[in-house]
Amino acid sequence: MSHHLDSPAARQDPRLDITDLFVFRGEQGTVLVTNHSHSIAGEDIPRGLHPEGRYEFKIDGDGDAVEDVTYRFLFEAQDATANQAYQVRRLNGREAGDALGAGTLIAEGSTGLSTDLVGGGRAWVGKAGDPFWIDPDVLQAVGHAFQDGTAIDLSGWDSTKASNVFAGHSVYSIVLELPDEELEPVAGAGGRLAVWAVASLATDAGGWRPINRAGLPMLHPLFAQFDEALGDQLNENGPSEDSQLYGKTVMDKVAGVVRANGSAEDPEGYARSVASRILPNVLPYSIGTQASYGFAGWNGRTLTDDVSSVMFSLASNTPVAMGITRQSVTSQPSPGFPYVPSAV
């Protein structure tokens, strides 16, 4: 579970849960994808995108972990055919972080259909297959280790019997493809961007309550899988505050597991290096490059990267394998727009 139902607030309405964030090179530019409303939560609850919510891609180019541009999706209620009309708005500069900013309307569309953006680019929103995979026994073993400060215990696990808990499940994807010339003025040196996503819910007082935030994959399963309070807290602030708010927690949890594993001579020093790498919680990507989230480095994230093995191994300083591969996904991603797997 990269972010699947990762906090009490997200579980209250899975339409506002961000299960995953992906950033990669597409046919026409940089592609941003978030998945929501996972079917594992049950089919007897509302599906799709919340008509009183908003879904945002946030992009920073100057390295301060504060958004320089925001792309906001707003949805209407489902019609008789379960489709939803939506708007896409772009917010620049200081307005990008303004919860009440209106931005500029750049597209109007409906779920299931491709929509062109004003000035170039395109969007697609609809039901899709979940491309993520993980074995539940490995997931729980890792979560317990980081909660309890123990070694990761997989002694009773048989890798030949590993299974993908998300096989055959569906999500609702938001796909946004942006031309390079739109993002280049925002980017830092080398076309570098930092990306994160936020799902929020309208409040009775006229404001917005953040429900879920996603940047790097697997942080919630590592550090908050069995800590409900922390699971909610990680969604309540912007990434520029992450190091101050959660740095010590991350370091303590990493040091505990590394010490129990005996995998570093200086567990505290190793924990500091991990915390400095994963906080602030933003996904880095360089415009125009091939995305890859692997052991050698992080540059965006494709729909098929094995992020669980990467993050579990990094945090524990011990190799952790899933026993399964991307072939365990029921429906594979498409090479063409909108790229996400077909729903099964």
Side-chain angles (χ1 to χ4, degrees), residues 145-146 149-152 253-271 273-274 312-320:
F146 280 88
T150 60
I152 299 173
K253 288 178 179 287
V254 170
V257 172
V258 169
R259 187 181 302 109
N261 282 336
S263 56
E265 184 174 336
D266 179 6
E268 286 73 22
Y270 183 80
S273 70
V274 170
F312 291 171
S313 300
L314 169 72
S316 64
N317 201 28
T318 302
V320 179

Side-chain angles (χ1 to χ4, degrees), residues 216 219 223 242 250 254 273-282 293 298 311 314:
L216 297 174
L219 294 195
F223 304 118
D242 283 347
V250 168
V254 170
S273 70
V274 170
S276 67
R277 188 172 181 188
I278 66 176
L279 300 176
N281 179 18
V282 295
Y293 200 98
W298 306 339
M311 295 300 282
L314 169 72

Side-chain angles (χ1 to χ4, degrees), residues 127-206:
K127 191 174 183 180
D130 187 356
F132 185 70
W133 76 91
I134 199 168
D135 178 84
D137 293 333
V138 176
L139 171 67
Q140 291 190 14
V142 170
H144 280 299
F146 280 88
Q147 181 67 21
D148 303 332
T150 60
I152 299 173
D153 183 10
L154 291 171
S155 57
W157 178 64
D158 184 351
S159 62
T160 65
K161 297 180 180 178
S163 62
N164 178 12
V165 68
F166 297 123
H169 279 283
S170 64
V171 292
Y172 280 77
S173 296
I174 299 176
V175 182
L176 182 67
E177 185 164 16
L178 300 168
D180 294 345
E181 52 269 26
E182 181 164 327
L183 293 177
E184 285 167 348
V186 178
R192 199 69 167 166
L193 303 172
V195 183
W196 65 101
V198 179
S200 305
L201 181 65
T203 68
D204 293 338

